[in-house]
Amino acid sequence: MDTPILKKKWEKNYEIADEQLKKIKKVKGVATGFNANIDAIYKITGEKLSELIKKTKMSLKELENIERCRILDEKDFVKGIFKSFRYGIAEEWICENKKVYDWIKKQIGYDYLQIGGQGGIMANVLSTVGVKKVFVHANSLPAIQAEQFAKNDNLLSFDEKGEMKPAYQINRSKDLPLMHWIIEFKRSDTIEIEGKIFKTPKANRFIATYDPLNLKLVLDENYMAKIKEEKLDFVVLSGFHALLSNNDGEALIDKVAERIKEWKKSAPKTIFHLEVASTQDVIIRRAIALKLIPLVSSIGVNERETMDLLEVLDQKALAKRCREQTTAENLLKGLSKIKEKTGVERVQLHMFGLYLTLQDKGFKISPEDNLKGMMTASVVGASKAKTGEVDSKSIKSVKHEVSDVGLIELDSLATALGQPNLVISGLGRYKLWDLIAVPTILIEKPITLVGMGDTISSISLISAR
Ligand code: GLC
């Protein structure tokens, strides 16, 4: 593999992104749901984590003893941060205790607020890149939450009387603000505990979620009724990952499945996509895999979510293999199993440095269009990582240079599949399906990572045209 030549080739391929961004403006309507919340961003360092550990008087042994991936007391919160920090992994744990929530608020506060939740994040991004109308579902919309939405008049939601308005102007003053703590750390930061040094291998985040409404999957009935009157090209759904099996989670999934079926009936031409999101509760994860994925035509996953899905689809050995060797080749096997087991027509993986889409032949979006959408997503994602913004100025500042990591991964995949052209064109096949692969632009020092997957999946789908 000659990397500089390939990089040039992909730089050329990526030229199409500008064109795609213009085409997005032709998309008439997208609905995003169901979760929108406030993300309270807190940048943690090894030093600050050390203070928290001291405050909670925890030994290393205690920190490592994780019996539940949930936050029932302060110690769970600190354990979660430590686990994410030391392995450089993304985790989201649910906090069900208001007292712990108050404790977190008092102990660390936050650096700044921004919109959160897959639905919220995707709505901000899609309205900013120019989709004509974006309808965001919000089960809570007091001013503090509404203010986190982009000041875009094409980003719409509903007030308490069911009147449609730009989301940022709404103030459903009786609603509860839903706060999620996003504890972000940098790569190579260190912490010393009992003489042992731990160094984070990757910049990442730990999320502590206190969100009674999304935990119950409360729907805004005004939205659910009125959205059926709108012409929608896409419905992008997520927000089921915070449900808990000991809190009626499965029944809530059954109920929402019925609502989605109804919605689909009223919008037969609309493409429904599900962003899977990291789901800790295994029973809920299985219900998402078996009851929700079969309802949509397309899903988005990262590496971790791929393995998690495999686990609940009785593919433990393959999940283990992916965990031990997180290569594109193994993950592709994983995607194909997910497709087989759920029947979903299109699966898209965004992994570090590479995106892969596996889809049915004859799917509504052609492989060529998918390829264009994936490259556009890479540019928009890089813009977000670089500046935190996805406006045209920021998007223009991104250099179209794909990462070595992605190219190397793609090259080994192409070799393993015996499809040398895949590394040049990004188009190939796997079993009976079309395979599309794109090496991505990586930003050396991203200023933010939260919401990256949501941005990639939604832009990739919506700009595939
Ligand atoms: C999860 C979190 C939310 C965050 C989002 C980012 O939904 O609950 O706080 O904004 O992930 O992808």
Side-chain angles (χ1 to χ4, degrees):
M1 181 181 72
D2 192 331
T3 314
I5 293 182
L6 277 177
K7 279 199 176 178
K8 273 259 161 310
K9 175 78 188 111
W10 278 98
E11 204 180 314
K12 188 104 196 84
N13 293 350
Y14 264 76
E15 276 171 12
I16 197 78
D18 288 345
E19 207 46 51
Q20 297 315 109
L21 284 160
K22 283 184 207 140
K23 287 191 200 162
I24 291 185
K25 304 199 164 67
K26 291 197 188 126
V27 179
K28 291 199 188 75
V30 180
T32 72
F34 290 106
N35 60 336
N37 60 267
I38 303 171
D39 276 350
I41 314 291
Y42 179 76
K43 311 256 179 204
I44 201 159
T45 57
E47 216 172 296
K48 288 182 185 167
L49 177 55
S50 211
E51 278 165 30
L52 268 182
I53 294 173
K54 268 185 214 127
K55 251 180 215 159
T56 44
K57 300 194 177 69
M58 292 170 84
S59 64
L60 180 57
K61 196 162 165 231
E62 217 179 335
L63 278 167
E64 287 176 328
N65 179 25
I66 296 177
E67 281 164 350
R68 52 187 183 218
C69 294
R70 285 160 60 196
I71 304 175
L72 299 184
D73 59 29
E74 292 96 38
K75 291 191 173 183
D76 291 328
F77 175 66
V78 181
K79 280 183 191 180
I81 304 179
F82 178 61
K83 181 182 173 200
S84 275
F85 186 95
R86 89 187 264 193
Y87 298 115
I89 52 172
E91 294 260 318
E92 177 171 4
W93 293 10
I94 308 297
C95 170
E96 294 157 83
N97 184 334
K98 172 86 168 47
K99 275 201 193 127
V100 185
Y101 159 84
D102 289 334
W103 181 86
I104 301 175
K105 207 152 111 183
K106 191 158 155 244
Q107 292 302 325
I108 65 170
Y110 53 80
D111 297 327
Y112 58 92
L113 301 179
Q114 66 185 29
I115 197 68
Q118 276 68 18
I121 292 170
M122 300 203 251
N124 262 14
V125 171
L126 295 176
S127 61
T128 304
V129 295
V131 169
K132 282 209 173 89
K133 282 184 182 176
V134 178
F135 304 91
V136 62
H137 172 271
N139 48 20
S140 184
L141 212 41
I144 183 173
Q145 194 154 327
E147 280 160 14
Q148 310 311 323
F149 281 113
K151 312 254 167 316
N152 295 334
D153 291 341
N154 57 338
L155 169 46
L156 302 156
S157 199
F158 297 88
D159 70 9
E160 60 271 46
K161 291 188 207 116
E163 221 174 287
M164 186 160 71
K165 286 186 182 151
Y168 74 95
Q169 287 175 4
I170 296 174
N171 178 11
R172 298 184 341 214
S173 58
K174 293 201 189 94
D175 288 2
L176 180 76
L178 309 170
M179 293 271 253
H180 297 200
W181 259 272
I182 315 287
I183 320 277
E184 294 190 328
F185 45 82
K186 289 204 179 117
R187 190 178 141 198
S188 300
D189 195 357
T190 56
I191 182 168
E192 188 181 333
I193 308 170
E194 296 166 21
K196 260 188 151 177
I197 299 199
F198 299 90
K199 185 169 171 184
T200 71
K202 198 170 158 237
N204 226 321
R205 70 215 169 26
F206 173 74
I207 306 184
T209 289
Y210 179 76
D211 189 336
L213 294 191
N214 283 311
L215 279 187
K216 285 238 163 265
L217 210 57
V218 174
L219 297 184
D220 174 25
E221 290 304 336
N222 285 326
Y223 181 97
M224 294 309 285
K226 305 246 159 123
I227 197 68
K228 299 207 178 108
E229 295 163 15
E230 301 296 332
K231 253 188 107 66
L232 300 173
D233 302 280
F234 301 94
V235 171
V236 187
L237 298 176
S238 193
F240 313 103
H241 58 288
L243 299 178
L244 294 169
S245 49
N246 65 2
N247 200 4
D248 268 355
E250 261 194 296
L252 290 166
I253 290 201
D254 287 334
K255 265 204 209 152
V256 84
E258 290 310 313
R259 305 297 298 265
I260 298 172
K261 280 185 206 158
E262 266 171 42
W263 195 353
K264 275 177 61 184
K265 258 193 219 146
S266 71
K269 292 204 180 123
T270 306
I271 296 182
F272 280 68
H273 170 94
L274 174 76
E275 195 56 25
V276 170
S278 165
T279 313
Q280 302 294 329
D281 190 311
V282 178
I283 298 175
I284 297 301
R285 201 193 303 146
R286 184 172 293 122
I288 293 176
L290 300 178
K291 295 176 177 173
L292 297 184
I293 295 183
L295 297 182
V296 295
S297 356
S298 163
I299 63 166
V301 285
N302 63 20
E303 301 92 315
R304 169 84 190 267
E305 290 150 17
T306 306
M307 302 173 214
D308 286 353
L309 280 179
L310 289 173
E311 246 163 29
V312 297
L313 291 170
D314 301 324
Q315 300 295 318
K316 288 219 166 76
L318 184 52
K320 184 162 173 267
R321 204 174 332 142
C322 288
R323 202 165 300 119
E324 284 164 3
Q325 284 185 311
T326 314
T327 59
E329 191 192 347
N330 283 338
L331 288 164
L332 180 62
K333 286 187 186 137
L335 300 183
S336 95
K337 272 288 167 225
I338 294 170
K339 246 185 118 323
E340 267 170 28
K341 296 266 168 188
T342 63
V344 69
E345 294 154 84
R346 174 186 185 268
V347 182
Q348 185 173 85
L349 163 75
H350 41 91
M351 67 181 283
F352 191 62
L354 189 68
Y355 308 154
L356 297 178
T357 301
L358 192 60
Q359 66 174 27
D360 286 357
K361 286 218 173 299
F363 184 66
K364 288 173 214 151
I365 303 171
S366 71
E368 291 75 14
D369 284 352
N370 256 299
L371 182 74
K372 293 186 220 163
M374 287 156 79
M375 290 189 286
T376 313
S378 167
V379 175
V380 176
S383 153
K384 186 173 160 83
K386 191 176 167 197
T387 68
E389 308 292 336
V390 296
D391 54 23
S392 52
K393 189 170 157 226
S394 166
I395 290 176
K396 276 210 184 81
S397 78
V398 172
K399 262 183 63 196
H400 293 179
E401 187 183 327
V402 299
S403 65
D404 289 339
V405 194
L407 273 179
I408 293 169
E409 203 51 56
L410 178 56
D411 191 47
S412 353
L413 179 66
T415 309
L417 297 178
Q419 297 176 35
N421 208 35
L422 184 66
V423 78
I424 303 165
S425 69
L427 296 171
R429 58 208 176 273
Y430 188 70
K431 298 191 177 166
L432 296 173
W433 306 305
D434 285 321
L435 168 66
I436 309 107
V438 163
T440 73
I441 304 164
L442 286 180
I443 298 297
E444 187 65 29
K445 287 193 178 127
I447 73 160
T448 177
L449 280 174
V450 67
M452 196 52 94
D454 313 330
T455 303
I456 294 164
S457 288
S458 57
I459 294 288
S460 179
L461 184 70
I462 272 103
S463 65
R465 40 191 50 244

